[in-house]
Amino acid sequence: MANSPVQLHKPTLDKDLEKLTFTEQATHFVLRSWAGVGISLVFLLITMAVADSFAVGTPGVLVIAVTAALAAYMAMNIGANDVTNNVGAAVGARAMSMGVALGIAAVFEIAGALLAGQGVAATVASGIVDPAIFPSPETFAWAMMAALVSAALWINIATLANAPISTTHAIIGGVIGAGAAASGFHSVQWEAIAVIVVSWTVSPILGGVIAAAFLYFLKETIIYREDKIAAAKTWVPVLVALMAGAFAAFIANGGTNGFYDIPIGRALLVGLAFGIVTYFVTRPIIRRHAEGLDNRNQSLRTLFRIPLICSAALLSFAHGANDVSNAVGPLYGVVSALRPGDAGNGATIPLWEMAIGAFGISLGLLLFGPRLIRIVGNQITKLNPMRAFCVALSSAVAVLTASVFAIPVSSTHIAIGAVFGVGLFREWYTRNSQRRIDYIRSRGNRVAEEEEISANPDETRRRYLVRRSHFMTIVSAWIVTLPVSAILSAIVFLVLNALFT
């Protein structure tokens, strides 16, 4: 009986310590979340100060400063939602850590935006709706501000719902809604919108089919061969050269948003030349890395790790060159309307506007990107470096193929479609490939865990099937993105117009 108080006191103390530890962890999580919000607000204030310094002395300086802050908010949302497609597959395949992926994506997004992010901003500003139809430059400015607010809010909501969407469709929907509310539906160029709607279907299917084709090629020529390493030494340099050539042609033709005026024929020649050079550079490197590797799939993952990291960097550069216009396009339109003498010449955007978009995208990625990186990387389907490489390579080839036929496609739709394509193809191949079945039977007890035919149907579903819940969430978000952004933008414009005119 004398020991009972001690026995009762100890577990009580342990419980108190556990509560304290839990409280500390919860506090740390909350503070970390608020730290991201605080850093974002500081960035918005810096953006307004920068815009104010460049627009000093202009009657519309306050409107320009506020629009710059909205463009920065839009850019951060692009970074949190859209950039995850570039590195999600590599992180899911464990080819790089989350920190390395964030660093690579941030650096190459900035490089792509600043070095090649010209051209499309003019289309966003004036190619969807005609500024000349608006009653006044101020009305056009309200419309662009409404487009930024609606698109950014919708992307923010989609990110919180773990749904990667097309930021291009969001801003186009915003411009359509505000333009229609300001000047009527006749101000919208509906032919361009019809092509965009068609691309909703084309983009993910194209990405999925090409990714599945590349994975089929890998399985047939490398993975289920008796001498995997010898097959890899033959084909990996070819695949890396194809990736490099596709990216070079994509950047030369359309990946720079028209900064380089190279027609598709010459762009393909540039890609071919770059691919040949890459092949002869890569071949001895792959052979050197293949020395001493065991004849198993884990060794193949090692050989694909460096190409996958390079592909993630190139995808980030191309994305920065293209999608930065979704943030700075409306800002460019407002500056063009209120300060026509300082709007730049042609499609050239002032450097300070490009910097807002470039650094905003990278900041959004660093602060809020990990959430969707995990969704894309490992919660849709199980990825390894080989499958992730197929996703990256198909994204490049799909965009290039679409540019040949002048089809505007979404890089987000292509990348997510490629991830789903890889997962669905694995389901089919696991059930139907005679080569796989014969190979596994010939290996007997030496078969590695990932090569076994599971006798447990539940385990097979857990390891191989695409998660349908994510599929429905993402597809639903795709369908409603443009109309929701348009409706929200129209409401915001009507409120702004009523308050300030």
Side-chain angles (χ1 to χ4, degrees):
M1 294 293 293
N3 294 332
S4 59
V6 177
Q7 292 173 349
L8 291 173
H9 180 69
K10 185 174 181 179
T12 302
L13 178 62
D14 289 343
K15 290 179 181 179
D16 290 339
L17 290 175
E18 289 176 0
K19 291 178 181 178
L20 179 61
T21 302
F22 177 79
T23 302
E24 290 177 346
Q25 292 175 346
T27 303
H28 175 71
F29 176 80
V30 171
L31 290 177
R32 184 175 60 182
S33 301
W34 280 107
V37 175
I39 294 172
S40 301
L41 291 175
V42 171
F43 178 69
L44 296 183
L45 293 175
I46 293 174
T47 298
M48 293 184 69
V50 170
D52 181 77
S53 66
F54 279 97
V56 64
T58 302
V61 60
L62 181 59
V63 174
I64 292 176
V66 173
T67 306
L70 294 176
Y73 174 52
M74 174 67 175
M76 286 191 291
N77 278 284
I78 292 173
N81 190 286
D82 220 15
V83 181
T84 56
N85 305 315
N86 305 336
V87 296
V91 173
R94 298 182 181 178
M96 65 177 78
S97 66
M98 181 70 74
V100 171
L102 292 173
I104 289 176
V107 170
F108 280 88
E109 284 284 337
I110 293 174
L114 293 180
L115 297 178
Q118 300 285 342
V120 170
T123 300
V124 174
S126 60
I128 306 300
V129 294
D130 187 0
I133 299 179
F134 286 76
S136 66
E138 290 74 17
T139 304
F140 179 74
W142 300 136
M144 292 297 101
M145 293 173 69
L148 282 171
V149 170
S150 63
L153 284 177
W154 175 242
I155 297 168
N156 204 331
I157 293 171
T159 303
L160 293 175
N162 296 330
I165 63 172
S166 171
T167 59
T168 302
H169 290 171
I171 192 62
I172 288 175
V175 173
I176 291 173
S183 301
F185 287 99
H186 65 280
S187 65
V188 180
Q189 301 185 23
W190 294 108
E191 296 81 2
I193 305 306
V195 175
I196 293 172
V197 172
V198 171
S199 76
W200 287 353
T201 304
V202 173
S203 298
I205 293 177
L206 192 62
V209 169
I210 295 176
F214 281 129
L215 185 57
Y216 176 80
F217 178 83
L218 286 180
K219 288 181 176 293
E220 293 291 305
T221 60
I222 299 177
I223 296 175
Y224 292 118
R225 293 287 179 176
E226 286 299 323
D227 193 340
K228 302 173 186 288
I229 304 303
K233 288 191 291 186
T234 299
W235 289 110
V236 171
V238 174
L239 292 171
V240 174
L242 179 60
M243 178 191 70
F247 273 113
F250 162 61
I251 292 173
N253 175 249
T256 58
N257 293 329
F259 189 70
Y260 303 114
D261 188 13
I262 300 178
I264 185 61
R266 293 182 183 179
L268 290 173
L269 291 178
V270 170
L272 177 62
F274 200 83
I276 292 173
V277 172
T278 301
Y279 172 79
F280 285 106
V281 170
T282 306
R283 186 177 179 183
I285 297 175
I286 296 298
R287 289 183 177 274
R288 184 168 62 253
H289 279 278
E291 293 179 0
L293 292 179
D294 295 332
N295 187 35
R296 58 196 184 100
N297 281 355
Q298 189 63 40
S299 299
L300 296 181
R301 295 173 182 177
T302 301
L303 292 178
F304 274 92
R305 183 169 288 113
I306 294 178
L308 180 55
I309 292 174
C310 294
S311 69
L314 289 171
L315 269 174
S316 296
F317 182 92
H319 180 272
N322 278 269
D323 282 17
V324 69
S325 60
N326 295 336
V328 303
L331 173 60
Y332 175 68
V334 171
V335 175
S336 300
L338 300 180
R339 290 173 57 98
D342 294 343
N345 51 23
T348 302
I349 311 170
L351 181 60
W352 67 270
E353 296 179 30
M354 296 301 304
I356 288 174
F359 287 97
I361 288 176
S362 293
L363 184 62
L365 170 68
L366 293 174
L367 293 178
F368 310 110
R371 184 189 188 101
L372 283 186
I373 286 178
R374 295 187 181 95
I375 294 291
V376 175
N378 53 34
Q379 293 189 26
I380 293 176
T381 190
K382 186 177 180 182
L383 293 175
N384 61 23
M386 290 167 285
R387 299 170 200 146
F389 182 78
C390 292
V391 171
L393 183 55
S394 68
S395 298
V397 174
V399 172
L400 178 61
T401 302
S403 68
V404 172
F405 296 100
I407 302 173
V409 292
S410 166
S411 59
T412 300
H413 289 191
I414 288 177
I416 301 299
V419 174
F420 278 113
V422 164
L424 293 172
F425 170 76
R426 289 174 62 214
E427 295 181 8
W428 176 88
Y429 192 86
T430 299
R431 294 190 300 265
N432 298 282
S433 173
Q434 189 60 43
R435 176 182 291 278
R436 177 182 182 275
I437 294 173
D438 292 342
Y439 172 82
I440 291 174
R441 287 173 177 169
S442 69
R443 299 292 299 276
N445 295 330
R446 296 174 298 166
V447 179
E449 180 183 350
E450 68 269 20
E451 296 169 342
E452 293 178 356
I453 301 176
S454 175
N456 185 341
D458 293 333
E459 176 68 9
T460 300
R461 285 185 60 84
R462 186 186 70 82
R463 295 181 59 195
Y464 290 108
L465 297 187
V466 172
R467 297 190 179 181
R468 267 58 174 180
S469 59
H470 292 304
F471 177 83
M472 296 307 300
T473 300
I474 291 171
V475 170
S476 299
W478 286 357
I479 293 173
V480 302
T481 290
L482 192 147
V484 167
S485 297
I487 294 172
L488 183 59
S489 181
I491 295 172
V492 173
F493 170 80
L494 293 174
V495 172
L496 291 175
N497 196 52
L499 291 175
F500 298 103
T501 59

